[in-house]
Amino acid sequence: MSVKQRPPTAILTRGFDPTLSVGSARPAVFRSSTYVFSSPEAAERAFDIMAGRAAATPGENVDLVYSRFNHPNAEILEDQIVPLERGAAAAAAFNSGMAAIMTAILAFTRPGDHIVFTVPIYGGTEHFIHEFLQPFGISSTAVRAGCNGDLAAAIRNAPNLRVVLIETPANPTLVMTDIRQAVEASAAHNPRPLVMVDNTFLGPCFQHPLVCGADVVLYSATKYLGGFSDLLGGIALTRDPELIRKIKSWRGLFGNILQPDECWMLDSRLPTVTLRMNRASKNAQRIAERLAAHRNIRRIYYPTLFEDPEQVRIRLAQCDYPGAIISLDLKGGKPAAFEFLRNVKLARNAVSLGGVETLACHPKSTTHSAVSAEELEIAGVTDGLVRISIGVEDWRDLLADFEQALDSI
Ligand SMILES: *Cc1c(COP(=O)(O)O)cnc(C)c1O
């Protein structure tokens, strides 16, 4: 078919040939750790291509080698996820979001290099930057999320800058950073650093960093892509396939490719990502806008309730829909937050997000418990803050549950 397929169709047709799975309508799981070569010449060719000594010609059928480098279920998953991310040409699957982030950064930095990143950023990413990269001689500058002028200045002034890492919206108060402005500032830098975006909160459905000019999009597939809180995974996607080739060469060395069973599970979740995210976002918007005036809420954080004109501008320019994370700063501090968590019946008290089930947590005593007072202030994490990841339940049941939990504080 010559007509370009739209993403929901392409996800179900690309990358999988039933004749390679004895006619099975869904991909088989190939658990082999090693693959039989069709000839010694084919083996030599496969190693030349894997090591980057030769490039595969278009349409060439290269023999598989060994599952730490590549395996059929990773190939199927990677082919099928590309149409979900607007502007992407290639993808790499990892065994966690942290593995994707770490491998992408290490693929393009060396001792003496510098990275600029937005804060707050995922705790594991921050730990990796400070406790791992820094002792290895890769220095960094942190810029407050949403301070776009500061970000541009940090990019302009950094020597040996290789990577600009943006997480937007920021966790847990959903402050947004302008991806296009960071891309423009990076384009003026010589040599041009790679702009990487952790798109876990709004992607791949509602925010499209590659279309904004970013080079690498990163995911914790553990969240919305997986969608059922039952697997760990990570994904990197790029516009330039050469970047994915470099990232995969390090993945083969580190051994952090996603295993065949998890690739198969994640692959089966892709056709419903948009359905799940749309429902969760609509639920969250209805709930957030109705809870906003509750007398026990000091402040509510949700993109359609932004008041700062610059944040409203970025949201409208960069996000199709507001997403399914709501944070509530409750009057009465920690006792009120704990009581709210004890009172809710439908939402489960757990960290993580992006599942079909609604989860709620108290960041200050859990996800952000190791964070300094100054960083808590920057992140907007107060004693009374509760973060909620809205699922696909009926929003009226969730709203009623939150209202009774708030009323009885
Ligand atoms: C969860 C998360 C990560 C880490 O992903 P894992 O799959 O747990 O390794 C990274 N970034 C963001 C924004 C996350 O929410």
Side-chain angles (χ1 to χ4, degrees):
M1 218 167 71
S2 58
V3 181
K4 193 172 179 319
Q5 295 175 5
R6 292 168 184 85
T9 314
I11 290 159
L12 285 160
T13 57
R14 279 174 58 120
F16 169 55
D17 176 358
T19 62
L20 298 175
S21 291
V22 292
S24 170
R26 289 286 305 152
V29 183
F30 298 91
R31 291 209 185 90
S32 282
S33 57
T34 193
Y35 284 83
V36 178
F37 301 117
S38 47
S39 68
E41 290 76 15
E44 185 177 32
R45 175 80 180 150
F47 269 79
D48 282 344
I49 289 168
M50 205 179 55
R53 290 185 294 267
T57 55
E60 180 180 354
N61 223 338
V62 184
D63 276 8
L64 290 161
V65 174
Y66 182 69
S67 296
R68 203 180 73 236
F69 307 125
N70 197 8
H71 55 74
N73 293 99
E75 286 192 341
I76 293 167
L77 170 65
E78 288 159 357
D79 275 353
Q80 297 199 326
I81 204 164
V82 164
L84 261 183
E85 186 70 45
R86 278 188 217 161
F94 291 88
N95 56 17
S96 71
M98 278 314 302
I101 293 165
M102 174 195 111
T103 307
I105 292 176
L106 289 177
F108 302 106
T109 51
R110 292 294 170 270
D113 289 348
H114 195 83
I115 77 172
V116 166
F117 67 104
T118 55
V119 285
I121 200 157
Y122 183 71
T125 309
E126 172 136 26
H127 207 72
F128 173 68
I129 290 170
H130 287 140
E131 310 302 323
F132 187 90
L133 290 183
Q134 198 165 303
F136 274 79
I138 298 166
S139 56
S140 60
T141 306
V143 180
R144 211 168 159 141
C147 297
N148 298 297
D150 293 356
L151 183 58
I155 292 170
R156 258 195 315 275
N157 298 329
N160 301 323
L161 179 63
R162 292 289 175 266
V163 170
V164 176
L165 177 63
I166 297 169
E167 188 175 306
T168 183
N171 176 32
T173 57
L174 309 175
V175 176
M176 294 187 177
T177 299
D178 189 326
I179 299 169
R180 283 186 186 86
Q181 273 187 22
V183 166
E184 277 165 28
S186 299
H189 202 279
N190 188 17
R192 194 177 78 81
L194 294 175
V195 177
M196 302 188 179
V197 177
D198 183 331
N199 206 28
T200 300
F201 270 47
L202 285 181
C205 303
F206 304 151
Q207 180 170 269
H208 317 288
L210 300 177
V211 175
C212 298
D215 302 284
V216 182
V217 167
L218 299 163
Y219 285 100
S220 168
T222 312
K223 315 295 169 54
Y224 291 101
L225 291 171
F228 289 80
S229 306
D230 61 359
L231 64 85
L232 288 171
I235 299 283
L237 296 122
T238 64
R239 276 182 293 137
D240 176 0
E242 180 56 21
L243 297 182
I244 285 293
R245 201 192 61 72
K246 287 201 178 115
I247 290 170
K248 281 185 178 171
S249 75
W250 292 106
R251 182 186 69 177
L253 191 67
F254 296 157
N256 54 11
I257 190 172
L258 189 61
Q259 298 265 341
D261 289 285
E262 272 72 18
C263 285
W264 183 89
M265 284 171 70
L266 185 51
D267 182 52
S268 71
R269 306 290 167 75
L270 298 184
T272 59
V273 176
T274 308
L275 303 176
R276 288 184 273 109
M277 288 192 79
N278 272 327
R279 166 53 71 91
S281 177
K282 287 205 173 84
N283 279 354
Q285 185 170 351
R286 286 169 173 143
I287 292 165
E289 290 173 0
R290 281 164 178 82
L291 283 183
H294 196 283
R295 63 187 152 77
N296 285 338
I297 295 177
R298 198 165 72 89
R299 186 162 176 196
I300 185 164
Y301 297 93
Y302 189 71
T304 60
L305 301 173
F306 284 171
E307 282 171 357
D308 174 43
E310 175 69 355
Q311 286 292 301
V312 173
R313 180 192 68 75
I314 299 172
R315 172 175 78 79
L316 294 174
Q318 195 161 287
C319 311
D320 299 344
Y321 291 97
I325 305 295
I326 304 172
S327 289
L328 307 176
D329 194 357
L330 302 180
K331 289 179 189 161
K334 184 174 173 182
F338 276 30
E339 219 179 315
F340 174 80
L341 290 173
R342 259 192 294 273
N343 290 346
V344 283
K345 307 250 166 4
L346 296 177
R348 304 250 159 82
N349 180 199
V351 298
S352 198
L353 56 110
V356 289
E357 72 291 330
T358 296
L359 300 179
C361 69
H362 182 248
K364 178 137 188 212
S365 58
T366 59
T367 53
H368 290 63
S369 58
V371 171
S372 70
E374 189 202 341
E375 285 174 305
L376 286 175
E377 204 273 313
I378 291 175
V381 174
T382 57
D383 288 321
L385 196 83
V386 174
R387 188 192 72 188
I388 305 169
S389 168
I390 300 289
V392 302
E393 302 91 338
D394 191 302
W395 67 274
R396 292 164 295 193
D397 295 333
L398 292 172
L399 179 64
D401 189 31
F402 294 138
E403 281 173 339
Q404 68 76 24
L406 285 166
D407 289 345
S408 51
I409 291 172

